[in-house]
């Protein structure tokens, strides 16, 4: 996959913070294809395992949809280790009621980690494509 960014790729050992809504917080009646919490949790776990198998150093950061709680969770993770990339999942970005949450997360990340690269997936299975855009192939 070509890199649609002009930024220089990050080293292959770059640590990634993968932020998404905790599966227990979603309203599954609004999500197509009969997705439910068990299925989404399994997809997230499988996606994270595939990322690790591909050599990426990913830390899963499930957040609550309440912006204050989500910010606290992200800040806690950022205080424990250094991250070069943050991926914000589609559940945060694609529902209008989570716009404030999305803005807060972007603000927290860019304030707390100047120069952090931000990536966006549309579902857990394509997170690897996001990382390939930002990080040298492991």
């Amino acid at each position: 996959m070509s890199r649609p960014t002009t930024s220089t790729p990050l080293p292959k050992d770059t640590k990634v913070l993968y932020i998404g809504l905790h599966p227990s917080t979603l309203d599954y009646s609004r999500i197509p294809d009969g997705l439910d919490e068990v299925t989404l949790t399994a997809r997230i776990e499988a996606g994270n395992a595939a990322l690790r198998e591909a050599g990426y150093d990913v830390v899963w950061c499930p957040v609550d949809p309440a912006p204050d709680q989500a910010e606290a969770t992200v800040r806690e993770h950022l205080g424990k280790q250094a991250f070069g990339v943050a991926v914000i999942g589609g559940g945060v970005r694609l529902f209008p009621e989570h716009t404030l949450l999305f803005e807060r997360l972007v603000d927290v990340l860019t304030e707390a980690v100047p120069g952090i690269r931000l990536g966006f997936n549309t579902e857990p299975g394509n997170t690897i494509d996001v990382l390939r855009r930002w990080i040298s192939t492991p």
Side-chain angles (χ1 to χ4, degrees):
M1 167 179 275
S2 65
R3 299 191 74 255
T5 178
T6 58
S7 298
T8 303
L10 295 169
K12 61 184 176 182
D13 63 348
T14 298
K15 190 169 286 295
V16 177
L17 184 63
Y18 180 10
I19 303 167
L21 289 173
H22 193 287
S24 68
T25 67
L26 296 173
D27 176 2
Y28 291 94
S29 68
R30 298 186 55 208
I31 301 174
D33 301 328
L35 188 66
D36 60 20
E37 182 178 347
V38 171
T39 304
L40 179 58
T41 299
R43 287 175 61 188
I44 291 169
E45 289 172 359
N48 288 344
L51 294 172
R52 284 188 285 280
E53 288 173 19
Y56 294 104
D57 188 359
V58 177
V59 175
W60 170 234
C61 178
V63 298
D64 187 278
D68 288 342
Q69 290 178 320
E71 179 178 339
T73 299
V74 169
R75 285 189 184 280
E76 181 180 333
H77 277 77
L78 294 175
K80 293 179 181 176
Q81 37 198 321
F83 294 94
V85 175
V87 175
I88 301 175
V92 172
R93 300 183 335 275
L94 301 176
F95 294 103
E97 66 270 22
H98 296 188
T99 300
L100 177 60
L101 170 63
F102 179 47
E103 289 175 353
R104 286 276 291 275
L105 292 174
V106 169
D107 288 345
V108 166
L109 290 163
T110 57
E111 287 173 7
V113 187
I116 194 168
R117 310 285 175 87
L118 301 177
F120 309 103
N121 67 6
T122 55
E123 56 96 12
N126 66 21
T127 305
I128 197 164
D129 296 327
V130 175
L131 299 185
R132 287 178 179 148
R133 289 193 296 262
W134 289 113
I135 300 173
S136 300
T137 305

